[in-house]
Amino acid sequence: MVGRIRAWQRDWQARSKIEKVEFQSMVMWHALPWLFFFSWGSVPLGLSLAHEPAAQITGWTLLAVAAVQSVHVNRSLRRSVDHYLRRTDLPRRDLTVSGALLALALVLVLVLEAVDGVTEGMIGLTTLYLVVPFGQALAFAVPVRRFLLHIALIDVFVVAAFAAVGVRDARLAGFAALIAFAGLLTLISARCGAWTLSVMWEADRSREVEARLAVAEERLRFGRDLHDVMGRNLAVIALKSELAVQLARRGLPEAVDQMVEVQRIAQESQREVREVVRGYREIDLGVELLGAQGVLEAAGIACRVTGSAAGLPPTVQSALGWVVREAATNVLRHGDATHCDITLTVTDDRTTLTVENDGVADAVPSGGGSGLAGLGERLAEVDGTLDFAARQGRFHLTAAVPLPRGAAGGAAPAPADRNEVLL
């Protein structure tokens, strides 16, 4: 039993915030028909039935049909909600069954009214309940205007049917008002929550698209850098190679000098390409911190940055700049963060960058040659270290890079009130 509870807790913690909201909404929608079944249907009707056999048989049959209504709407609720969220097609068969059960229940109500088998006034509560299951199923399936049209048609039909069995005046108007009230109640309880869910899922999809755009932008930047490095050098190599061919054909010794120059340019290009691939080009850590803030803010994540990168050596800024990029990407793409804290601390011998965010499960991402593993390799080449862990729904990442001797003097962090930004 304890193991099951712990497994349920782990499963719950692994869910994203929107999945938790959807689960709670589903629980509420499942409970709603039964709440009204006991408060408006079974208890009032059961206590007010007359003792005649016809009334007893009709009344308990009506209660059984009402219970089946609740069971059916619970079983079809997942399909109805998925249709509203555009995950599946319209559940036409479920709606047909709900409508047939409503029609059968209304016929039984009319029979009870005709045989005078219920205490006066109690039949209204039962009628009020009967519309709830069908209204809930219909609210997820059709637009609001069509829903209101269906409820109006049901209202007209029921009023006409009660008038046919002898109901008049105020009671007739009361039945019309009760059915309209039941329809509006189910519409509000179902559509408001479903609309909120749809907006949240749309925001979640937008957030994922934004993360992909960030990755695509980084790839474009890499492509531009690679083009800048290779484009000019390859053009020079081609020209000098062509010149060397012409000189060699003429038997001139200058061809050797041209090929030596081609060799030098090729080696220089190789070195520059390595710098681009490994991220050795100088990166402004302050710009990366501001960029991470902007990206996280656009995704609706509150971010706080503390510390200043002013005065840090280029090698340290470059290494930690890659950490900031990867950490911001992970916050966007993994988990369901609402807050993120980035702290840069500079001491006499090292610079430490700490990134902490919420909204993650108690599991540590893994990978080889990319992501966090790639950052560890990148930091190891400058004698830096990388530590990360997930605890109690929060992810902690710490990167430390030693400072070259004599480089710490101008790298003291600025006061917190000037460098701490709350988004």
Short mmCIF file of all heavy atoms in Angstrom, two decimals, residues 166-192:
data_model
loop_
_atom_site.label_atom_id
_atom_site.label_comp_id
_atom_site.label_asym_id
_atom_site.label_seq_id
_atom_site.Cartn_x
_atom_site.Cartn_y
_atom_site.Cartn_z
N GLY A 166 -51.52 18.00 -18.40
CA GLY A 166 -52.36 18.75 -17.48
C GLY A 166 -51.69 19.78 -16.61
O GLY A 166 -52.33 20.40 -15.76
N VAL A 167 -50.40 20.01 -16.76
CA VAL A 167 -49.70 21.03 -15.96
C VAL A 167 -50.03 22.40 -16.54
O VAL A 167 -50.01 22.60 -17.76
CB VAL A 167 -48.18 20.78 -15.97
CG1 VAL A 167 -47.47 21.87 -15.17
CG2 VAL A 167 -47.87 19.40 -15.40
N ARG A 168 -50.31 23.34 -15.67
CA ARG A 168 -50.74 24.66 -16.12
C ARG A 168 -50.03 25.78 -15.34
O ARG A 168 -49.43 25.56 -14.29
CB ARG A 168 -52.26 24.82 -15.93
CG ARG A 168 -53.10 23.89 -16.79
CD ARG A 168 -53.03 24.29 -18.27
NE ARG A 168 -53.89 23.45 -19.10
CZ ARG A 168 -53.52 22.30 -19.63
NH1 ARG A 168 -52.30 21.84 -19.41
NH2 ARG A 168 -54.36 21.60 -20.38
N ASP A 169 -50.09 26.98 -15.92
CA ASP A 169 -49.75 28.24 -15.27
C ASP A 169 -48.35 28.24 -14.67
O ASP A 169 -47.36 28.00 -15.35
CB ASP A 169 -50.80 28.58 -14.22
CG ASP A 169 -52.20 28.66 -14.83
OD1 ASP A 169 -52.28 28.98 -16.03
OD2 ASP A 169 -53.17 28.36 -14.12
N ALA A 170 -48.29 28.55 -13.34
CA ALA A 170 -47.00 28.77 -12.68
C ALA A 170 -46.11 27.54 -12.73
O ALA A 170 -44.89 27.64 -12.90
CB ALA A 170 -47.23 29.20 -11.23
N ARG A 171 -46.67 26.36 -12.56
CA ARG A 171 -45.85 25.15 -12.61
C ARG A 171 -45.23 24.96 -13.98
O ARG A 171 -44.09 24.53 -14.10
CB ARG A 171 -46.68 23.93 -12.25
CG ARG A 171 -47.08 23.84 -10.78
CD ARG A 171 -47.60 22.45 -10.47
NE ARG A 171 -46.58 21.43 -10.67
CZ ARG A 171 -46.84 20.15 -10.90
NH1 ARG A 171 -48.09 19.75 -11.04
NH2 ARG A 171 -45.85 19.29 -11.05
N LEU A 172 -45.98 25.28 -15.01
CA LEU A 172 -45.45 25.14 -16.37
C LEU A 172 -44.28 26.10 -16.59
O LEU A 172 -43.24 25.72 -17.15
CB LEU A 172 -46.56 25.41 -17.38
CG LEU A 172 -46.39 24.83 -18.78
CD1 LEU A 172 -46.26 23.31 -18.71
CD2 LEU A 172 -47.56 25.23 -19.66
N ALA A 173 -44.45 27.33 -16.11
CA ALA A 173 -43.36 28.30 -16.22
C ALA A 173 -42.16 27.86 -15.37
O ALA A 173 -41.00 28.08 -15.74
CB ALA A 173 -43.84 29.68 -15.78
N GLY A 174 -42.45 27.24 -14.23
CA GLY A 174 -41.37 26.75 -13.38
C GLY A 174 -40.54 25.67 -14.06
O GLY A 174 -39.30 25.67 -13.97
N PHE A 175 -41.20 24.73 -14.76
CA PHE A 175 -40.46 23.71 -15.49
C PHE A 175 -39.58 24.33 -16.57
O PHE A 175 -38.42 23.92 -16.77
CB PHE A 175 -41.43 22.71 -16.12
CG PHE A 175 -41.95 21.69 -15.15
CD1 PHE A 175 -43.31 21.59 -14.87
CD2 PHE A 175 -41.07 20.81 -14.52
CE1 PHE A 175 -43.79 20.65 -13.99
CE2 PHE A 175 -41.55 19.86 -13.63
CZ PHE A 175 -42.91 19.78 -13.35
N ALA A 176 -40.11 25.32 -17.26
CA ALA A 176 -39.33 25.99 -18.30
C ALA A 176 -38.10 26.66 -17.71
O ALA A 176 -36.99 26.58 -18.26
CB ALA A 176 -40.20 27.01 -19.03
N ALA A 177 -38.28 27.33 -16.55
CA ALA A 177 -37.15 28.00 -15.92
C ALA A 177 -36.11 27.01 -15.40
O ALA A 177 -34.90 27.24 -15.51
CB ALA A 177 -37.66 28.87 -14.77
N LEU A 178 -36.58 25.87 -14.85
CA LEU A 178 -35.65 24.87 -14.32
C LEU A 178 -34.78 24.28 -15.43
O LEU A 178 -33.57 24.08 -15.24
CB LEU A 178 -36.42 23.76 -13.61
CG LEU A 178 -37.02 24.13 -12.24
CD1 LEU A 178 -37.90 23.00 -11.73
CD2 LEU A 178 -35.93 24.45 -11.25
N ILE A 179 -35.37 23.97 -16.55
CA ILE A 179 -34.60 23.39 -17.66
C ILE A 179 -33.60 24.41 -18.20
O ILE A 179 -32.44 24.07 -18.49
CB ILE A 179 -35.54 22.89 -18.75
CG1 ILE A 179 -36.35 21.69 -18.23
CG2 ILE A 179 -34.77 22.51 -20.01
CD1 ILE A 179 -37.43 21.24 -19.16
N ALA A 180 -34.03 25.64 -18.33
CA ALA A 180 -33.10 26.68 -18.80
C ALA A 180 -31.95 26.86 -17.81
O ALA A 180 -30.78 27.00 -18.19
CB ALA A 180 -33.86 28.00 -18.99
N PHE A 181 -32.28 26.83 -16.50
CA PHE A 181 -31.24 26.96 -15.47
C PHE A 181 -30.26 25.79 -15.53
O PHE A 181 -29.03 25.99 -15.44
CB PHE A 181 -31.89 27.04 -14.09
CG PHE A 181 -30.90 27.00 -12.96
CD1 PHE A 181 -30.13 28.10 -12.66
CD2 PHE A 181 -30.75 25.84 -12.19
CE1 PHE A 181 -29.21 28.07 -11.61
CE2 PHE A 181 -29.83 25.79 -11.16
CZ PHE A 181 -29.07 26.92 -10.86
N ALA A 182 -30.76 24.58 -15.68
CA ALA A 182 -29.88 23.41 -15.76
C ALA A 182 -28.96 23.49 -16.97
O ALA A 182 -27.77 23.16 -16.89
CB ALA A 182 -30.72 22.13 -15.82
N GLY A 183 -29.49 23.95 -18.10
CA GLY A 183 -28.66 24.08 -19.29
C GLY A 183 -27.55 25.10 -19.12
O GLY A 183 -26.40 24.85 -19.45
N LEU A 184 -27.89 26.28 -18.57
CA LEU A 184 -26.88 27.31 -18.35
C LEU A 184 -25.85 26.88 -17.32
O LEU A 184 -24.65 27.18 -17.46
CB LEU A 184 -27.56 28.61 -17.91
CG LEU A 184 -28.43 29.30 -18.97
CD1 LEU A 184 -29.12 30.52 -18.38
CD2 LEU A 184 -27.59 29.71 -20.18
N LEU A 185 -26.28 26.16 -16.29
CA LEU A 185 -25.36 25.70 -15.26
C LEU A 185 -24.32 24.74 -15.85
O LEU A 185 -23.11 24.86 -15.59
CB LEU A 185 -26.14 25.01 -14.13
CG LEU A 185 -25.28 24.44 -12.99
CD1 LEU A 185 -24.56 25.55 -12.26
CD2 LEU A 185 -26.16 23.64 -12.03
N THR A 186 -24.78 23.78 -16.63
CA THR A 186 -23.84 22.83 -17.23
C THR A 186 -22.94 23.52 -18.25
O THR A 186 -21.75 23.18 -18.38
CB THR A 186 -24.58 21.68 -17.90
OG1 THR A 186 -25.56 22.21 -18.82
CG2 THR A 186 -25.29 20.82 -16.88
N LEU A 187 -23.47 24.48 -18.97
CA LEU A 187 -22.66 25.21 -19.95
C LEU A 187 -21.52 25.94 -19.25
O LEU A 187 -20.36 25.88 -19.67
CB LEU A 187 -23.53 26.20 -20.72
CG LEU A 187 -22.79 27.09 -21.73
CD1 LEU A 187 -22.22 26.25 -22.86
CD2 LEU A 187 -23.71 28.17 -22.28
N ILE A 188 -21.84 26.65 -18.16
CA ILE A 188 -20.82 27.42 -17.45
C ILE A 188 -19.79 26.50 -16.80
O ILE A 188 -18.58 26.72 -16.90
CB ILE A 188 -21.48 28.33 -16.40
CG1 ILE A 188 -22.32 29.41 -17.11
CG2 ILE A 188 -20.42 28.98 -15.51
CD1 ILE A 188 -23.15 30.24 -16.16
N SER A 189 -20.26 25.45 -16.12
CA SER A 189 -19.34 24.56 -15.41
C SER A 189 -18.44 23.79 -16.36
O SER A 189 -17.29 23.49 -16.03
CB SER A 189 -20.13 23.58 -14.54
OG SER A 189 -20.97 22.75 -15.34
N ALA A 190 -18.92 23.48 -17.54
CA ALA A 190 -18.12 22.70 -18.49
C ALA A 190 -17.25 23.60 -19.37
O ALA A 190 -16.03 23.40 -19.46
CB ALA A 190 -19.04 21.84 -19.37
N ARG A 191 -17.84 24.59 -20.01
CA ARG A 191 -17.10 25.36 -21.01
C ARG A 191 -16.05 26.28 -20.40
O ARG A 191 -14.99 26.50 -20.99
CB ARG A 191 -18.08 26.18 -21.86
CG ARG A 191 -18.91 25.35 -22.81
CD ARG A 191 -18.04 24.62 -23.81
NE ARG A 191 -17.54 25.51 -24.84
CZ ARG A 191 -18.01 25.56 -26.08
NH1 ARG A 191 -19.00 24.75 -26.44
NH2 ARG A 191 -17.49 26.36 -26.96
N CYS A 192 -16.32 26.85 -19.22
CA CYS A 192 -15.33 27.76 -18.63
C CYS A 192 -14.04 27.01 -18.32
O CYS A 192 -12.94 27.46 -18.65
CB CYS A 192 -15.90 28.39 -17.36
SG CYS A 192 -17.18 29.62 -17.68
#
